[in-house]
Amino acid sequence: MSDQPAPAPYDALLLLSFGGPEGPDDVVPFLENVTRGRGIPRERLKEVGQHYFLFGGVSPINAQNRELLQALRKDFAEHGLDLPVYWGNRNWAPYLTDTLRELAADGHRRVLTLATSAYASYSGCRQYRENLAESLAALETEGVEPPRVDKLRHYFNHPGFVRPMVDATLAALAELPEGLRAGAHLAFTTHSIPTAAADTSGPVPAHGDGGAYVAEHLDVARLIADAVREETGADHPWQLVYQSRSGAPHIPWLEPDICDHLEALHAEGAPAAVMVPIGFVSDHMEVKYDLDTEAAAKARELGLPVARAATVGADPRFAAAVRDLVLERAATERGAAPQRCALGALGPSHDVCPVGCCPARTPRPAAAGAAE
């Protein structure tokens, strides 16, 4: 009997991400993909694209996904997990439909999906599942038999995600002048979403003020703050704050914004702050611009010393966590009851998104969840 880790019934892993432009000519077409169906004028998209043009029209996300691909393949190979890893994006090449077509052509029939979003929300989970359903339907229209696709559970509280964020926070604190470190505030940042979307995030029992989206982020922030206190002996004040808001001004979104929070910290006499982007898997454009550019400029204007913690990116511990999640889900599919690793108060997330979980504004078919 083999002692190799068993991925069966799965025969491939799909890394599913947002995608981003890789040159100036890509920026507006990429934004047209992101905003498809919203009727946003091309001139407006050019204005939005200025964030990308500041970085040569290149989003860091694709390069970072290539690094994560390498980290996953290396970890799987070193631990005897015979599972090929593919990569597809929702909004830019390599496109999801093309990758699913490639998976089908290569003979894969059961595919697990790792989304580069760790938390429950419409934009962070349900929308990925809708894109999967759309792409799978496209293959069927072409006469291609699509593989069955499942999605890994949310991993926000897996130690392989949390511990790298703890270490990144400690490293960022060490960047501050020594006399300011003990009193530095921690600003845990994530993507702002409409409050209506937050309130209905997660399974129906989790719906309410902030829903699962806010509860999950608060749990991670508390885990990191507690670990930092244990390792430094300093009790750093902390708050969950938001960034990257978009959309109509009259629609309520989660607050406070990171820049407003920095102003408030300065006004109350905080000596320094560390921005900890717990809501993001990698240092993509919304981290590079909204934190490293915009928020950093606000801090300089205020005279408030700040540092920014790194995201988990391709950390080997995160790659190992993905392997753990793959083997956990595979064992569950085979009828076993594996140990489900999770930190904090919320416990491990569901494997299959239930009906009513993170509902869409306009109902659309979604794959990798309970039949609706």
Side-chain angles (χ1 to χ4, degrees):
M1 182 176 177
S2 172
D3 60 357
Q4 299 298 311
Y10 298 106
D11 54 25
L13 177 70
L14 167 63
L15 173 63
L16 177 55
S17 195
F18 193 80
E22 300 202 74
D25 294 341
D26 296 345
V27 172
V28 173
F30 162 73
L31 292 173
E32 287 175 335
N33 287 342
V34 174
T35 61
R36 187 183 297 113
R38 300 185 204 171
I40 298 176
R42 190 175 178 86
E43 290 305 312
R44 173 59 182 149
L45 294 179
K46 289 181 180 178
E47 294 175 19
V48 174
Q50 292 306 312
H51 296 180
Y52 292 94
F53 292 129
L54 287 173
F55 296 86
V58 179
S59 169
I61 194 169
N62 283 344
Q64 289 164 4
N65 279 325
R66 293 184 184 102
E67 291 178 9
L68 180 54
L69 272 177
Q70 292 178 352
L72 292 170
R73 289 167 176 161
K74 181 175 185 288
D75 178 89
F76 288 7
E78 289 176 348
H79 292 85
L81 179 58
D82 184 15
L83 193 71
V85 187
Y86 291 69
W87 170 35
N89 289 325
R90 293 170 46 199
N91 299 296
W92 201 249
Y95 286 104
L96 172 59
T97 304
D98 295 335
T99 302
L100 287 171
R101 191 183 295 112
E102 181 184 1
L103 280 157
D106 289 348
H108 297 295
R109 306 308 312 147
R110 290 289 302 273
V111 177
L112 259 179
T113 300
L114 166 68
T116 54
S117 177
Y119 301 85
S121 70
Y122 172 75
S123 57
C125 183
R126 173 79 191 205
Q127 195 168 18
Y128 282 82
R129 294 175 49 224
E130 290 176 353
N131 292 145
L132 279 167
E134 184 179 16
S135 293
L136 293 169
L139 295 194
E140 290 184 335
T141 300
E142 297 171 6
V144 175
E145 183 181 358
R148 172 177 163 180
V149 179
D150 292 330
K151 180 178 175 292
L152 288 173
R153 66 176 172 92
H154 301 302
Y155 46 84
F156 63 92
N157 56 1
H158 193 287
F161 183 80
V162 175
R163 187 64 226 187
M165 292 303 309
V166 172
D167 290 346
T169 305
L170 292 168
L173 279 166
E175 294 175 13
L176 294 172
E178 186 173 359
L180 303 179
R181 291 173 197 163
H185 288 234
L186 305 180
F188 294 101
T189 76
T190 191
H191 205 299
S192 183
I193 61 175
T195 57
D199 293 347
T200 56
S201 58
V204 172
H207 292 181
D209 189 14
Y213 186 74
V214 171
E216 290 169 0
H217 281 87
L218 286 172
D219 205 38
V220 173
R222 193 172 295 110
L223 283 167
I224 297 171
D226 287 349
V228 169
R229 182 179 62 252
E230 290 173 8
E231 298 202 22
T232 65
D235 192 4
H236 296 273
W238 64 270
Q239 185 170 340
L240 177 63
V241 301
Y242 303 92
Q243 62 176 88
S244 313
R245 175 189 169 134
S246 60
H250 68 279
I251 297 175
W253 283 54
L254 293 173
E255 295 178 333
D257 177 78
I258 178 61
C259 289
D260 294 337
H261 181 62
L262 293 177
E263 288 187 343
L265 289 182
H266 176 67
E268 67 186 49
V274 170
M275 300 181 289
V276 188
I278 57 172
F280 305 92
V281 172
S282 64
D283 285 7
H284 55 61
M285 184 58 69
E286 287 172 316
V287 175
K288 292 292 189 183
Y289 181 80
D290 295 333
L291 295 184
D292 294 351
T293 305
E294 194 172 50
K298 171 58 70 175
R300 286 193 299 272
E301 172 192 320
L302 296 168
L304 178 69
V306 297
R308 198 265 291 174
T311 52
V312 296
D315 190 293
R317 292 168 293 181
F318 180 51
V322 174
R323 170 169 43 87
D324 178 62
L325 291 167
V326 166
L327 294 174
E328 172 200 293
R329 180 62 182 274
T332 300
E333 290 294 308
R334 296 194 303 269
Q339 181 178 358
R340 293 162 57 82
C341 197
L343 301 175
L346 299 180
S349 294
H350 49 267
D351 280 332
V352 178
C353 292
V355 174
C357 191
C358 305
R361 292 182 293 274
T362 303
R364 293 174 57 196
E372 299 182 352

